[in-house]
Amino acid sequence: LSVVGVSGNLCAQENSVNLTLKQAVRMAVEKNLDLKAELYNPAAAEADIRKSKGIYDPLLNLLLHYQDSKTQPASFYASGTPVNHQRVFDYNAGITQLIPSGGTVGLSFNNTWYRNNSDPSRFLNDYFSSDLSLYFTQPLLKNFGREATELNIRVAKFGKEGALEQYREKLTDIVAKVRNQYFLLFSLREYLEVSKASLVLAERILNDTQAQVKAGVLPAMEVLNSEFGVATMQKSLIDAEKAVKDQVDSLRSLLQLPADAEIVPADTPWHEQYVVDEDAAIRKALVERPELKQLRIALKTGELQSRTARNQTLPDLSLVLNTSLTGLGTEYNRALDKVGSGKYPVWGGGLRLTYPLGNRTAQNEYVRSKLRVEQTSAQIRSMEDSVANDVRFAVRALQAGYKQLDVAERGSAYAEERLKAYIKKNKVGLATVKDVLDVQNDMVSAKGNRVRAIAEYNIAVTALWKASGELLEREGIVVTEKDGDALYEKNR
């Protein structure tokens, strides 16, 4: 995972952190605990891949075995002794190797020392036997080929791809959440400034009104109206301060910042109209959305398993070949010399067939695998429709958000000019203090609508980028296998 295009340092003064949007995204990517936990899935998938590749590890076999036996012979004349006393010592070594075609190659070196109490004039009763054997077994129908042999390896690789897409989906959610929380904090801070300015204006109106009442220009009732206006603005300011603190806590938790850090957004949200090609956005979403990628990976896995299940319905027909060089002697080195001479070769070959009558297990596993493939295909088609609708909804929300922003900005400008006009009217006696305060409340409401519309418009842009699968690309974030593999290597 890498985040590109992020520069600049955090500026902290008096527990205040001036934070750009890029820095906020970077901090969430690097520090978010949910993301760190999700990264263990690709690491575990890498372990599954390496474990599955263990089928190609050569298998070494060693045997040391001694046997001492006394048995009654079936015929005294055959053995020449009333009791058969045999001692046998085996010391063997061998290695076997699976090959991609599904076959097995083996090499073994076998040695036996044999002693008995038979008549030495008729039988060898103390000798060594050795052989060097090479054998090969190759399935010709069932389990034939690389695809059947490496099924678990390929399934594990698909599993890692799916885990990375799942991580990418989680990362997209986190980045979208950071952007939305950032814009909400910006809008709440803007509204806080509006509330402060409105309180200052209400207090100035109160001071002017008190002076006019004292001069006998206005009745005393106007002071009460002014005081009520100040109290109303104070409540609005208290609510705005609480909302900002709550939002700072939410963003601070998301970015894993210290508890006393006061976050100040350094970037101004987007105000310009964002022009989008809906058809192009849908095409991009159908390619890039991680949910769809996960389903397509599941489909590839299912198709692979279905082909392998089809292979398992075939008869188990195997080619078996073997060859050996043998030697026998009363001394071990003489037995080895005969093995090396190649005078006593043994070879053989043949076909081995096994097939369960009825074969219901393999047949129904194949049917089940085909049903899973068809089910996943249907899920992909459904998901594609859902993704396309997500993009359409996001485009409409974006367009509506820009229109609402335009209306809110014009309404805010109108409300501000209207308040100025009423203040002038009040000074010449054409408007009461209550009229001015009512118009001021309208202005505060209009400015609140404006800052909310700005935040909602930027949130709509984020929603569109998320719906079209381009949010990480827009933020300069690239997801690779590197971090998951590093986590795997760390725990080896």
PDB file of all heavy atoms in Angstrom, residues 192-204:
ATOM      1  N   LEU A 192     -19.769  27.727  13.041  1.00  0.00           N
ATOM      2  CA  LEU A 192     -19.366  28.288  14.329  1.00  0.00           C
ATOM      3  C   LEU A 192     -18.954  29.749  14.169  1.00  0.00           C
ATOM      4  O   LEU A 192     -19.323  30.606  14.999  1.00  0.00           O
ATOM      5  CB  LEU A 192     -18.214  27.474  14.911  1.00  0.00           C
ATOM      6  CG  LEU A 192     -17.607  27.987  16.225  1.00  0.00           C
ATOM      7  CD1 LEU A 192     -18.655  28.007  17.336  1.00  0.00           C
ATOM      8  CD2 LEU A 192     -16.410  27.126  16.631  1.00  0.00           C
ATOM      9  N   GLU A 193     -18.212  30.049  13.099  1.00  0.00           N
ATOM     10  CA  GLU A 193     -17.832  31.443  12.852  1.00  0.00           C
ATOM     11  C   GLU A 193     -19.043  32.301  12.555  1.00  0.00           C
ATOM     12  O   GLU A 193     -19.124  33.459  12.977  1.00  0.00           O
ATOM     13  CB  GLU A 193     -16.831  31.504  11.690  1.00  0.00           C
ATOM     14  CG  GLU A 193     -15.490  30.841  11.976  1.00  0.00           C
ATOM     15  CD  GLU A 193     -14.821  31.411  13.202  1.00  0.00           C
ATOM     16  OE1 GLU A 193     -14.826  32.654  13.356  1.00  0.00           O
ATOM     17  OE2 GLU A 193     -14.299  30.626  14.017  1.00  0.00           O
ATOM     18  N   VAL A 194     -20.008  31.751  11.833  1.00  0.00           N
ATOM     19  CA  VAL A 194     -21.254  32.475  11.575  1.00  0.00           C
ATOM     20  C   VAL A 194     -21.977  32.772  12.890  1.00  0.00           C
ATOM     21  O   VAL A 194     -22.473  33.883  13.116  1.00  0.00           O
ATOM     22  CB  VAL A 194     -22.164  31.662  10.631  1.00  0.00           C
ATOM     23  CG1 VAL A 194     -23.554  32.298  10.535  1.00  0.00           C
ATOM     24  CG2 VAL A 194     -21.542  31.563   9.246  1.00  0.00           C
ATOM     25  N   SER A 195     -22.011  31.786  13.778  1.00  0.00           N
ATOM     26  CA  SER A 195     -22.683  31.968  15.070  1.00  0.00           C
ATOM     27  C   SER A 195     -21.975  33.025  15.911  1.00  0.00           C
ATOM     28  O   SER A 195     -22.616  33.836  16.589  1.00  0.00           O
ATOM     29  CB  SER A 195     -22.731  30.635  15.823  1.00  0.00           C
ATOM     30  OG  SER A 195     -23.453  29.669  15.098  1.00  0.00           O
ATOM     31  N   LYS A 196     -20.643  33.030  15.890  1.00  0.00           N
ATOM     32  CA  LYS A 196     -19.901  34.043  16.646  1.00  0.00           C
ATOM     33  C   LYS A 196     -20.182  35.442  16.107  1.00  0.00           C
ATOM     34  O   LYS A 196     -20.415  36.386  16.879  1.00  0.00           O
ATOM     35  CB  LYS A 196     -18.398  33.742  16.560  1.00  0.00           C
ATOM     36  CG  LYS A 196     -17.951  32.538  17.361  1.00  0.00           C
ATOM     37  CD  LYS A 196     -16.455  32.309  17.183  1.00  0.00           C
ATOM     38  CE  LYS A 196     -15.980  31.102  17.995  1.00  0.00           C
ATOM     39  NZ  LYS A 196     -14.518  30.853  17.800  1.00  0.00           N
ATOM     40  N   ALA A 197     -20.140  35.560  14.769  1.00  0.00           N
ATOM     41  CA  ALA A 197     -20.403  36.868  14.166  1.00  0.00           C
ATOM     42  C   ALA A 197     -21.838  37.322  14.447  1.00  0.00           C
ATOM     43  O   ALA A 197     -22.088  38.517  14.696  1.00  0.00           O
ATOM     44  CB  ALA A 197     -20.150  36.798  12.662  1.00  0.00           C
ATOM     45  N   SER A 198     -22.764  36.367  14.433  1.00  0.00           N
ATOM     46  CA  SER A 198     -24.156  36.714  14.698  1.00  0.00           C
ATOM     47  C   SER A 198     -24.347  37.164  16.137  1.00  0.00           C
ATOM     48  O   SER A 198     -25.137  38.075  16.422  1.00  0.00           O
ATOM     49  CB  SER A 198     -25.056  35.507  14.395  1.00  0.00           C
ATOM     50  OG  SER A 198     -24.954  35.153  13.034  1.00  0.00           O
ATOM     51  N   LEU A 199     -23.631  36.528  17.073  1.00  0.00           N
ATOM     52  CA  LEU A 199     -23.718  36.945  18.473  1.00  0.00           C
ATOM     53  C   LEU A 199     -23.155  38.344  18.655  1.00  0.00           C
ATOM     54  O   LEU A 199     -23.723  39.172  19.389  1.00  0.00           O
ATOM     55  CB  LEU A 199     -22.970  35.952  19.356  1.00  0.00           C
ATOM     56  CG  LEU A 199     -22.917  36.287  20.853  1.00  0.00           C
ATOM     57  CD1 LEU A 199     -24.327  36.424  21.431  1.00  0.00           C
ATOM     58  CD2 LEU A 199     -22.119  35.240  21.611  1.00  0.00           C
ATOM     59  N   VAL A 200     -22.040  38.629  17.989  1.00  0.00           N
ATOM     60  CA  VAL A 200     -21.460  39.981  18.063  1.00  0.00           C
ATOM     61  C   VAL A 200     -22.444  41.010  17.538  1.00  0.00           C
ATOM     62  O   VAL A 200     -22.634  42.090  18.134  1.00  0.00           O
ATOM     63  CB  VAL A 200     -20.136  40.026  17.271  1.00  0.00           C
ATOM     64  CG1 VAL A 200     -19.639  41.472  17.135  1.00  0.00           C
ATOM     65  CG2 VAL A 200     -19.082  39.167  17.944  1.00  0.00           C
ATOM     66  N   LEU A 201     -23.094  40.684  16.415  1.00  0.00           N
ATOM     67  CA  LEU A 201     -24.076  41.610  15.846  1.00  0.00           C
ATOM     68  C   LEU A 201     -25.263  41.780  16.784  1.00  0.00           C
ATOM     69  O   LEU A 201     -25.750  42.912  16.991  1.00  0.00           O
ATOM     70  CB  LEU A 201     -24.539  41.083  14.483  1.00  0.00           C
ATOM     71  CG  LEU A 201     -25.613  41.921  13.776  1.00  0.00           C
ATOM     72  CD1 LEU A 201     -25.115  43.349  13.533  1.00  0.00           C
ATOM     73  CD2 LEU A 201     -26.004  41.258  12.449  1.00  0.00           C
ATOM     74  N   ALA A 202     -25.741  40.671  17.383  1.00  0.00           N
ATOM     75  CA  ALA A 202     -26.870  40.764  18.312  1.00  0.00           C
ATOM     76  C   ALA A 202     -26.510  41.605  19.527  1.00  0.00           C
ATOM     77  O   ALA A 202     -27.335  42.398  20.024  1.00  0.00           O
ATOM     78  CB  ALA A 202     -27.300  39.371  18.736  1.00  0.00           C
ATOM     79  N   GLU A 203     -25.279  41.470  20.023  1.00  0.00           N
ATOM     80  CA  GLU A 203     -24.847  42.283  21.178  1.00  0.00           C
ATOM     81  C   GLU A 203     -24.722  43.749  20.798  1.00  0.00           C
ATOM     82  O   GLU A 203     -25.050  44.640  21.600  1.00  0.00           O
ATOM     83  CB  GLU A 203     -23.504  41.745  21.682  1.00  0.00           C
ATOM     84  CG  GLU A 203     -23.615  40.383  22.368  1.00  0.00           C
ATOM     85  CD  GLU A 203     -22.272  39.791  22.730  1.00  0.00           C
ATOM     86  OE1 GLU A 203     -21.260  40.242  22.142  1.00  0.00           O
ATOM     87  OE2 GLU A 203     -22.227  38.866  23.571  1.00  0.00           O
ATOM     88  N   ARG A 204     -24.291  44.029  19.582  1.00  0.00           N
ATOM     89  CA  ARG A 204     -24.212  45.425  19.128  1.00  0.00           C
ATOM     90  C   ARG A 204     -25.604  46.023  19.000  1.00  0.00           C
ATOM     91  O   ARG A 204     -25.834  47.194  19.373  1.00  0.00           O
ATOM     92  CB  ARG A 204     -23.471  45.478  17.790  1.00  0.00           C
ATOM     93  CG  ARG A 204     -23.122  46.910  17.370  1.00  0.00           C
ATOM     94  CD  ARG A 204     -22.255  46.887  16.151  1.00  0.00           C
ATOM     95  NE  ARG A 204     -23.046  46.477  14.977  1.00  0.00           N
ATOM     96  CZ  ARG A 204     -22.514  45.897  13.901  1.00  0.00           C
ATOM     97  NH1 ARG A 204     -21.215  45.608  13.872  1.00  0.00           N
ATOM     98  NH2 ARG A 204     -23.280  45.569  12.894  1.00  0.00           N
TER      99      ARG A 204
END
